[in-house]
Amino acid sequence: MNPLGQLILARLREFFREPSALFWTYGFPTLLTLALGMAFQNPDPKQVVVAVWPGPDQQRRIDALQADPGIRVEALSEEETRRRFLGARVTMAVSGTRDLVLTYDPRDPEAPATRCRVLQHLREASSEPLLPVQDAPIEAPGARYIDFLVPGLIGMNILSGSMWGIGYALVEARKRKLLKRLAATPMRRGDFLVSFFLARLLFLGTEVAVILAFAMAVFGLEVQGSWAALVLLAATGAMAFGGLGLLAASRTRSTETVAGLMNLIMLPMFVLSGVFFSASRFPDFLQPVIGVLPLTLLNDGLRAVINEGAGLGSVAGPLVALAAGGWIASVVALRIFRWF
Amino acid sequence: MTPAIEVSRLVHRYGTVTAVAGIDLEVSPGECFGLLGPNGAGKTTTMEILEGLLTPTSGQVRILGRTWDEGNGDLRERLGVALQETTLADRLTCLEVIRLFRSFHRRGRDPEEVLAQVGLTDKRDAWVMRLSGGQRQRLALATALVGDPDILFLDEPTTGLDPTARRDLWQVVEDALRRGHTCVLTTHSMEEAERLCQRVAILDHGRVIAQGTPAELVATLGASEVVELATDPPLPPAVFAVVPGVHQALPGPRGARLTVDRSSEVLPELIRHAERQGAALASLDIHRATLDDVFLRLTGRSLEADG
């Protein structure tokens, strides 16, 4: 037999006999394509929100814009609109007075297209085809893509850091019989597991601080809401994901298996939970599922605090849900935990 | 005096596999007791039950007069364990590892002193991953010693080590034994058992097939020396059984394996006997009878070839 032929054959055999390699090569890209395709198949899946301020022309302008299904028109006060500019919950404001003034953040990626459409509708509905328009650019904190992205990256980092830091490390210790050796000492077993969680919290503090400081210094990110809420969210998220890591590691003997298990838990959340693009892009039938994923809870909470100025009270819901989920995962994990 | 360890009718099954099939043992305080046997004889399972890591399927175990149900935490304070092939954290130094294990015990010894005792003082700041196999085993022994245990459990302390590292480790263990620890060790090296243990139990297929001091067990052969000889052409071992002074003739790895009282008296007659059968002596080996010869007589297998 030709040695080159044999070598190639050996490579192919090893590859096809490794199920996880098969999944990563064929299964995962297919699933990722499917997920992204679902998120981006509709060319205009998201309605932009346009506020129309009070004034003599308010109702006329609302009527003109309402014809466009891609625009959700809301009659809002100026003050309410300014609050909603935080976190880009409104893209543009149209004056209700005779002079047409468009208020928006030019850095918002949705803004230029929205301006075109709004102007077109208003001119069509107006007697003047060249209705004069005045632009009032504002800086709406939290409207840029980077503002959207950073909380998502922090969430992703908390998820993967906690799961690898606790799940993988525990299986590694079991594999090298360190767990068994420790179980034979008078060490309190709880101390050992608690040490993993507390060490995780210390690492997490520095990780999140580095990402935030970098985004603030380089991209001018601002934390609009409560720092206490931010810290509490990050810590609760880390503990909840640590509980998931503990669960994945509770009976697993091989590091390959635990890595596979953790990827199985994490990857769907990386794709679905709105890390790089908004989870609202996924079809409606998926939303109930996406909404209860722990990473969605954490990312939405982080975005509310960082971009929309939320305080402790308004993220209480996700905080409680994350804590409860993490607690359940940890209790189950400890019940079935195997020391050797 | 209460025995340090009492085991009666101990049975352990993993699913349908019986690893330990009814073992009785008694270890006195201050004694070094060896569990000797080939791989799969049930040594490690027995150890893990004694260490309180496994709950036996049935049977009684008393450590220092108490069962594991009665005194879990207290009992662990008084035991030191060196497991077979544990890798302690790669990137901790020797001293850091010993300090960690010291912290688990209410009372214990100075970590630096224990490192000195196992001969790792010059490696105190070296990462565990940089240690040789022998140094790792000595570190494992140090983790067991730092709690100043009443009973030391050493599971195959020298398996996989080269001869020099083994002898070094034996020295360290002998030194530790002189400090008065009771010790239970498993091994498949009869040389190790003879050197370190006052008494041994030979295990095979989950049962104790012989128990006593190494000298007592060797004495059961009824002979003090072993002659291994091969002839050209090969003769069946039974041929030599008729020679006066030969107690037993068995097939061995190197031809016929004969247990004799005094080889100097028997040897000339053995050679003449072979010549009478038309065969010439091809190789000859004479040694003092060992535990391996006991194992061979009891099981028909050689311990060394097995291990």
Side-chain angles (χ1 to χ4, degrees), chain A residues 257-320:
Chain A
T257 309
V258 80
L261 259 178
M262 292 195 309
N263 278 325
L264 194 70
I265 297 172
M266 290 193 293
L267 282 170
M269 291 201 268
F270 287 163
V271 176
L272 297 174
S273 290
V275 174
F276 296 100
F277 55 88
S278 172
S280 63
R281 283 186 173 274
F282 286 103
D284 288 343
F285 73 91
L286 277 179
Q287 293 301 334
V289 179
I290 293 174
V292 298
L293 292 177
L295 185 59
T296 315
L297 293 172
L298 180 61
N299 282 349
D300 289 353
L302 290 171
R303 288 204 173 101
V305 172
I306 294 175
N307 294 332
E308 296 163 22
L312 211 46
S314 36
V315 293
L319 270 178
V320 170

Side-chain angles (χ1 to χ4, degrees), chain B residues 142-194:
Chain B
T143 65
L145 291 173
V146 76
D148 199 13
D150 293 330
I151 305 180
L152 260 181
F153 289 100
L154 309 178
D155 196 5
E156 309 221 351
T158 61
T159 297
L161 298 187
D162 64 59
T164 320
R166 285 178 85 182
R167 266 184 277 278
D168 286 351
L169 196 86
W170 287 344
Q171 207 127 58
V172 173
V173 173
E174 280 175 334
D175 181 49
L177 294 176
R178 271 195 291 274
R179 302 177 68 105
H181 303 285
T182 304
C183 176
V184 179
L185 76 84
T186 67
T187 180
H188 47 163
S189 152
M190 36 87 212
E191 193 189 352
E192 183 164 299
E194 281 179 318

Side-chain angles (χ1 to χ4, degrees), chain B residues 226-250:
Chain B
V226 173
V227 174
E228 283 184 278
L229 59 82
T231 55
D232 181 32
L235 295 171
V239 164
F240 297 103
V242 299
V243 176
V246 173
H247 285 260
Q248 200 177 23
L250 288 169

Side-chain angles (χ1 to χ4, degrees), chain B:
Chain B
M1 192 162 43
T2 329
I5 297 173
E6 266 180 292
V7 173
S8 64
R9 296 191 302 280
L10 188 68
V11 174
H12 193 78
R13 293 191 192 90
Y14 297 101
T16 57
V17 182
T18 304
V20 175
I23 282 183
D24 298 279
L25 296 172
E26 201 174 295
V27 179
S28 312
E31 176 178 49
C32 181
F33 189 87
L35 294 172
L36 184 61
N39 289 335
K43 304 187 298 287
T44 298
T45 304
T46 306
M47 282 290 257
E48 287 179 355
I49 292 169
L50 298 184
E51 291 157 1
L53 292 173
L54 280 180
T55 307
T57 308
S58 66
Q60 275 80 48
V61 173
R62 283 188 174 274
I63 311 288
L64 301 167
R66 302 158 79 178
T67 66
W68 274 106
D69 291 336
E70 288 163 13
N72 199 321
D74 268 1
L75 225 37
R76 289 198 193 288
E77 283 284 346
R78 303 174 65 185
L79 306 184
V81 174
L83 291 176
Q84 188 183 344
E85 295 156 38
T86 337
T87 331
L88 305 159
D90 276 342
R91 287 178 175 77
L92 291 183
T93 69
C94 293
L95 187 57
E96 285 162 352
V97 167
I98 300 307
R99 281 198 181 133
L100 176 67
F101 278 85
R102 171 66 186 84
S103 74
F104 301 145
H105 293 264
R106 282 195 294 269
R107 60 177 186 86
R109 296 172 52 195
D110 174 35
E112 306 233 19
E113 179 200 318
V114 174
L115 279 182
Q117 188 192 339
V118 300
L120 285 177
T121 298
D122 54 335
K123 293 284 175 192
R124 62 196 281 274
D125 296 320
W127 285 1
V128 173
M129 64 190 289
R130 307 240 183 270
L131 300 181
S132 70
Q135 289 165 342
R136 278 174 202 222
Q137 285 292 8
R138 280 187 271 153
L139 184 66
L141 183 61
T143 65
L145 291 173
V146 76
D148 199 13
D150 293 330
I151 305 180
L152 260 181
F153 289 100
L154 309 178
D155 196 5
E156 309 221 351
T158 61
T159 297
L161 298 187
D162 64 59
T164 320
R166 285 178 85 182
R167 266 184 277 278
D168 286 351
L169 196 86
W170 287 344
Q171 207 127 58
V172 173
V173 173
E174 280 175 334
D175 181 49
L177 294 176
R178 271 195 291 274
R179 302 177 68 105
H181 303 285
T182 304
C183 176
V184 179
L185 76 84
T186 67
T187 180
H188 47 163
S189 152
M190 36 87 212
E191 193 189 352
E192 183 164 299
E194 281 179 318
R195 169 142 178 196
L196 297 177
C197 302
Q198 276 103 51
R199 285 196 310 132
V200 297
I202 299 181
L203 266 62
D204 193 39
H205 300 305
R207 290 177 196 283
V208 176
I209 56 173
Q211 197 174 165
T213 67
E216 280 166 7
L217 293 179
V218 171
T220 61
L221 291 170
S224 58
E225 285 176 282
V226 173
V227 174
E228 283 184 278
L229 59 82
T231 55
D232 181 32
L235 295 171
V239 164
F240 297 103
V242 299
V243 176
V246 173
H247 285 260
Q248 200 177 23
L250 288 169
R254 291 174 288 263
R257 191 170 169 128
L258 316 172
T259 44
V260 303
D261 273 332
R262 270 189 290 279
S263 56
S264 53
E265 290 171 11
V266 182
L267 208 50
E269 184 54 32
L270 279 175
I271 294 169
R272 276 197 295 277
H273 192 71
E275 280 165 355
R276 281 199 292 274
Q277 314 287 324
L281 197 64
S283 77
L284 177 71
D285 177 72
I286 304 165
H287 62 252
R288 196 173 54 80
T290 67
L291 288 177
D292 194 28
D293 299 302
V294 177
F295 188 79
L296 183 79
R297 203 208 60 186
L298 291 172
T299 66
R301 287 175 289 131
S302 167
L303 198 53
E304 283 187 323
D306 245 62

Side-chain angles (χ1 to χ4, degrees), chain A residues 4-300:
Chain A
L4 182 59
Q6 282 297 312
L7 284 167
I8 294 171
L9 212 56
R11 294 293 319 131
L12 292 177
R13 281 184 179 132
E14 284 192 65
F15 175 76
F16 282 106
R17 288 170 191 176
E18 175 65 68
S20 70
L22 284 178
F23 171 76
W24 288 112
T25 315
Y26 301 113
F28 180 65
T30 312
L31 290 174
L32 192 64
T33 310
L34 180 71
L36 295 180
M38 280 165 93
F40 291 97
Q41 66 181 336
N42 186 344
D44 189 22
K46 196 177 151 192
Q47 279 189 320
V48 292
V49 179
V50 173
V52 182
W53 288 340
D57 284 355
Q58 185 185 32
Q59 197 51 50
R60 218 154 44 81
R61 287 183 181 153
I62 288 176
D63 294 342
L65 293 174
Q66 230 148 19
D68 188 331
I71 296 178
R72 198 167 88 234
V73 194
E74 290 193 39
L76 295 175
S77 69
E78 254 192 81
E79 196 195 1
E80 172 66 14
T81 311
R82 297 223 181 266
R83 282 207 297 118
R84 292 215 197 166
F85 267 126
L86 290 175
R89 282 169 298 161
V90 56
T91 305
M92 184 167 289
V94 178
S95 61
T97 52
R98 239 198 79 66
D99 298 329
L100 179 61
V101 183
L102 300 182
T103 309
Y104 58 91
D105 185 343
R107 297 170 309 169
D108 182 346
E110 307 274 4
T114 309
R115 183 183 180 278
C116 271
R117 283 162 65 180
V118 165
L119 206 53
Q120 190 195 343
H121 293 309
L122 293 179
R123 280 177 173 158
E124 275 169 9
S126 154
S127 47
E128 300 172 58
L130 282 173
L131 181 70
V133 63
Q134 211 183 321
D135 290 289
I138 55 152
E139 275 205 9
R144 300 167 304 164
Y145 180 62
I146 187 76
D147 299 322
F148 177 86
L149 184 64
V150 169
L153 289 181
I154 291 175
M156 186 172 89
N157 194 270
I158 292 174
L159 172 59
S160 65
S162 301
M163 290 207 68
W164 286 102
I166 290 179
Y168 194 84
L170 279 175
V171 175
E172 174 84 8
R174 182 182 293 123
K175 189 179 162 187
R176 53 171 56 183
K177 294 193 189 165
L178 182 59
L179 287 189
K180 183 189 264 186
R181 176 65 187 89
L182 290 173
T185 70
M187 176 194 78
R188 283 209 310 264
R189 296 183 179 188
D191 282 357
F192 178 73
L193 295 174
V194 168
S195 78
F196 271 71
F197 279 81
L198 292 185
R200 199 56 239 152
L201 274 185
L202 293 178
F203 291 131
L204 168 92
T206 53
E207 282 164 25
V208 173
V210 165
I211 302 176
L212 261 183
F214 184 79
M216 290 167 94
V218 177
F219 297 110
L221 181 90
E222 285 172 48
V223 176
Q224 309 293 331
S226 141
W227 279 92
L230 180 62
V231 169
L232 208 59
L233 261 176
T236 310
M239 295 300 94
F241 296 142
L244 282 182
L246 187 66
L247 188 60
S250 56
R251 297 187 74 76
T252 316
R253 286 187 194 282
S254 96
T255 44
E256 289 84 357
T257 309
V258 80
L261 259 178
M262 292 195 309
N263 278 325
L264 194 70
I265 297 172
M266 290 193 293
L267 282 170
M269 291 201 268
F270 287 163
V271 176
L272 297 174
S273 290
V275 174
F276 296 100
F277 55 88
S278 172
S280 63
R281 283 186 173 274
F282 286 103
D284 288 343
F285 73 91
L286 277 179
Q287 293 301 334
V289 179
I290 293 174
V292 298
L293 292 177
L295 185 59
T296 315
L297 293 172
L298 180 61
N299 282 349
D300 289 353

